[in-house]
Amino acid sequence: MARTSERAVIVGAGLAALRGAEAMRAAGFSGPLAVIGAEPHYPYDRPPLSKHVLAGAIPADATTLPGIHGLDADWHLGNPAIGLDRGRRAVLLADGRDLPYDRLLIATGTRARPWPNPHEGRLAGVFTLRGRDDAAALRRALAAGPRRVLVIGGGFIGCEVASLCRKLGLPVTLVEPGPTPLARVLGSTVGAFIGAIHAGHGVEIRCGAEVEWLEDAEGRLVRAHLVDGSRIDADVAVIALGAVRNTEWLDGSGLSADPGGVDCDASGHVHDTDGQTDPRIAAAGDVARFSHPLYEGRRVALEHWSHAAAQAVHAGRLLAGTPPGEPYGALPTFWSTQGDLVVKSAGLTEGADAVAITQGDPAAGRFIALYGRAGRCIAALSVDSARWLPAHAEMVAAGAPFPPHGAAADRPKAIKILEPGFS
Amino acid sequence: MPDASLLGQVKDFANRANPYPVYAKLRETPVSRQDDGTGDGTWVAATHDTIARLLQDPRVSSDTQPPADRPRTGNPLTDLIVKPLKDWMMDRHRVFIFRDPPDHDALRAAVMHQFSRERVQAMRARSDRLVADLLDAKSGAREIDAVDDLAYPLPVTVICELFGVPREDEPKFHGWATQLATALEPDSLSDTEIRAKNSRTFDAIGGYMADLIKDKRKHPRDDMLSGLANHATPEGAKMGDYDLVATSILMLVAGHETTVNLITNGLLTLLRHPDELERLRQDPLRAPRVIEELMRYEPPVQFRTRRTLSAIDIAGVTIPKAADLVLLLASGNRDAAVFPDPDRFDPDRTGTRHLGFGGSLHYCVGAPLARFEAEAALTALAARLKAPRLIEDPPPYRPGAALRGPEHLRVAIDGIA
């Protein structure tokens, strides 16, 4: 690609922003490139925050991603974008400046969903976990040896934090309104298997329970009151209620965006509320909602590390003027380290009408769960048996028949088909 | 149609010194059905990608061994009662390279627990000492046989000491190990004579090990066999006696039949690339790179066999259920899609995705041991052999196609420093 005076702006400074910027440069984009970050940090890696950083194995600031300084970019860090004016082709920054663009990548990601009561959410001892500073603060609190940690929400972050607390020898209670941990994403059948493993390591799990309010003494958390009237004494609470997509800054821009993400077409360009594509703008990562070709075009916004990296490369090439040719549609994958347990998955469980344990044994703490929908494999999950996942991922990508037939290592003679337990 | 005679050419002893051109032809079809003298044929995976995928495919089983069938003796009591019982026990307690999860995992975990870092590290210093002694013993010689003088005695002594097998009993193992290693050669499975010999050998070595285990229970020492016999793993598992016998046989055979080839192939390759030998002599810290490249370029285990539990679609073919499978590790290591200019020996390659130690759940348990034994041997040979020259190139090879290496490696020298 020839030298250009066109200006590129990337809003967001996480993994997707960095991979998008790298992909633009690799595809030959030579114009000025600005990266805008709400946090004062260069792009860093989030997965270690809830694992190695909380465990104290590495400091939070050791997570900075490599490759930043070879990028030839202008960094606007700690200065969030607050608006987008597509008429003037400018991004509005919090400090009042405008940044003009000819090509724009939206990669603003998500933030932790806050505790609904803002006063309680600000109490000393109450944490969310999304950014590097969150992780550093929570690590300090855990290292101080709290009497009990309360984890509110039994999703992946909740399970990671709770199981890690056990590894640190801390008493921990996990409160989850659903029937089991992880029920929303994995269903209550598999959720119960994983919950039992954590319970076996001493995580006190309270399912079907909800925290109503947090009590403090002189601004410091002392206990939580549950809807059923019971109380849990705790001096640290981790609010793990999922994430909210950072799309507010797009209000008034005319783009099709809401708290569920910003909409992209099959090429990766965003579209406006009239359904018209804006060829100057693409989106990638947690904030991008797109039709997934492997799932009958269902519109999804995925919060996975590998997805953020891969979709940003796709978007970066698109914005650099060398479109990849086919729509983005990598098989969604993620992993979660929960204490010593390694959970990995391929595919999307949403809509599953059946699940089967195809290898291993949940009671032994190692198994593969395969999810089916209308007789096809749609997702696979490995618990401490990741070596078997690639073969299952191939079945998911190919939409192989469900349940699988034929024998395999450590497979029960007759595969039992279970109700997945999605509410 | 791919040439179905290529696997036969791999087994053909005439190609032992250089099987790589045959592997290159096999790679033209990533997975091909090869004639093996049976109507079913054997499926051979020859590219890096297909081997790596099949190594971690749950439909691929390591349980390749046909049921035990000891030869009949003519004594009705033995043939009707003792033989079936012994055969049944043998099938239930196979060595874990021929077993699948979950049993495999428990046995392997127990071994890994005893293969502790401290224990392995202690053998590292010991290896340097052993190498020095073995070379000192040849001082004044004008010719050495790298196999008999170093590459065989080193790993054998290491595994015996690590396991706690008295060194004076080692000569017994020499023949036993050579015989049992044939179980890794594909044709041995269908050859009733070899199988009969193997079961006799297994019984003989098994009797020896059972006695030794009894002794380790009475007089525990700080060795792996004492550890396995007397202690549970952190998960609380403890091996039963039959598994303990089988596992210790596996470890001893593996210690006898693999590292010897790594060291010998290493010296042979370095003598064929004198510039690399000289670089290693000047910079012993290059050894780890040299050894990783050797594991790619001339791996001691050229291929492993597997069996399919279900039909598998891969690389445009369907491998049927219950098919014999050969994963041609040494061919995957020469795949240009992963290793540019694959037939060049180049220790400066980056990225070590070689398949020399296998992969996935059966990845070589002894890899750390093999690495530093080879390091001790090759750095000492590079440093101490004066003007080494190959006397025969290629050297004479041992029979095995799977466990492949020279029978002898005669090297003329001006002396040992």
Side-chain angles (χ1 to χ4, degrees), chain B residues 23-300:
Chain B
Y23 297 166
K25 282 187 206 153
L26 276 159
R27 279 196 301 278
E28 289 170 13
T29 312
V31 178
S32 64
R33 188 187 161 285
Q34 294 287 319
D35 291 335
D36 62 359
T38 75
D40 297 332
T42 291
W43 294 76
V44 177
T47 59
H48 191 281
D49 169 61
T50 58
I51 296 166
R53 278 160 65 193
L54 289 167
L55 276 171
Q56 56 181 352
D57 192 307
R59 295 163 296 184
V60 172
S61 169
S62 292
D63 187 357
T64 55
Q65 302 287 296
D69 185 13
R70 287 175 173 70
R72 288 170 192 283
T73 61
N75 175 336
L77 179 74
T78 306
D79 288 349
L80 288 176
I81 298 170
V82 179
K83 173 182 140 49
L85 200 65
K86 276 188 159 182
D87 285 348
W88 182 77
M89 286 309 287
M90 190 163 178
D91 286 340
R92 272 182 62 90
H93 299 282
R94 286 212 181 105
V95 297
F96 68 77
I97 56 166
F98 297 132
R99 289 170 80 166
D100 293 332
D103 303 358
H104 159 275
D105 298 3
L107 292 169
R108 181 181 168 109
V111 168
M112 293 306 287
H113 181 59
Q114 289 299 328
F115 234 110
S116 63
R117 190 179 299 248
E118 297 71 31
R119 214 166 245 158
V120 171
Q121 281 305 322
M123 291 318 290
R124 189 181 184 113
R126 182 78 183 114
S127 295
D128 287 328
R129 186 71 251 154
L130 287 167
V131 169
D133 291 347
L134 288 164
L135 287 180
D136 288 348
K138 300 300 289 183
S139 64
R142 284 289 176 271
E143 180 187 327
I144 61 164
D145 175 1
V147 176
D148 288 351
D149 296 337
L150 180 66
Y152 185 79
L154 171 66
V156 160
T157 307
V158 167
I159 195 70
C160 285
E161 290 187 7
L162 194 62
F163 237 76
V165 171
R167 189 65 178 82
E168 60 270 23
D169 292 344
E170 196 285 320
K172 298 184 197 176
F173 285 98
H174 196 149
W176 287 340
T178 306
Q179 180 61 43
L180 288 180
T182 60
L184 263 54
E185 303 298 331
D187 283 348
S188 73
L189 301 179
S190 48
D191 187 320
T192 48
E193 200 175 315
I194 295 180
R195 281 174 44 78
K197 255 193 203 164
N198 278 347
S199 61
R200 275 199 300 275
T201 308
F202 199 90
D203 288 344
I205 191 172
Y208 173 88
M209 291 310 309
D211 287 344
L212 190 59
I213 288 161
K214 264 185 220 150
D215 183 59
K216 297 287 177 193
R217 291 225 164 98
K218 261 189 230 150
H219 312 287
R221 289 188 182 80
D222 182 23
D223 55 51
M224 279 186 67
L225 194 53
S226 296
L228 288 169
N230 297 303
H231 300 289
T233 63
E235 293 80 37
K238 202 166 153 186
M239 260 189 220
D241 281 3
Y242 286 94
D243 282 329
L244 191 50
V245 167
T247 301
S248 42
I249 293 173
L250 169 63
M251 295 291 130
L252 284 167
V253 173
H256 275 71
E257 298 297 318
T258 54
T259 313
V260 53
N261 293 338
L262 174 58
I263 295 170
T264 316
N265 291 343
L267 182 59
L268 175 61
T269 303
L270 288 170
L271 289 170
R272 285 170 174 170
H273 298 83
D275 49 329
E276 285 298 339
L277 181 63
E278 177 57 22
R279 291 178 75 185
L280 179 61
R281 193 184 67 77
Q282 289 181 5
D283 178 11
L285 295 178
R286 273 179 71 74
R289 284 173 172 280
V290 170
I291 287 153
E292 279 329 284
E293 176 67 348
L294 283 169
M295 285 303 301
R296 181 193 76 83
Y297 187 77
E298 286 273 28

Side-chain angles (χ1 to χ4, degrees), chain A residues 8 10 14-27 29 33 35 71 105 107 284 308-320:
Chain A
I10 297 180
L15 174 67
L18 179 61
R19 290 290 179 267
E22 287 170 344
M24 287 189 76
R25 289 298 190 214
F29 176 77
L33 191 160
V35 184
L71 205 53
L105 177 62
Q311 194 183 32
V313 169
H314 186 100
R317 291 175 58 188
L318 186 71
L319 289 175

Side-chain angles (χ1 to χ4, degrees), chain A residues 359 366 387-388 390-392 394 405-410, chain B residues 53 56-59 100-102 105 309-310 313 360-361:
Chain A
Q359 287 185 274
R366 304 164 68 97
R387 66 168 81 108
W388 302 130
H392 286 84
E394 279 184 33
H405 36 70
D410 203 8
Chain B
R53 278 160 65 193
Q56 56 181 352
D57 192 307
R59 295 163 296 184
D100 293 332
D105 298 3
L309 297 168
S310 312
D313 292 326
S360 194
L361 72 167

Side-chain angles (χ1 to χ4, degrees), chain A residues 221-234:
Chain A
L221 174 75
V222 290
R223 68 181 56 86
H225 294 259
L226 273 60
V227 171
D228 65 8
S230 63
R231 312 158 178 196
I232 297 168
D233 289 344

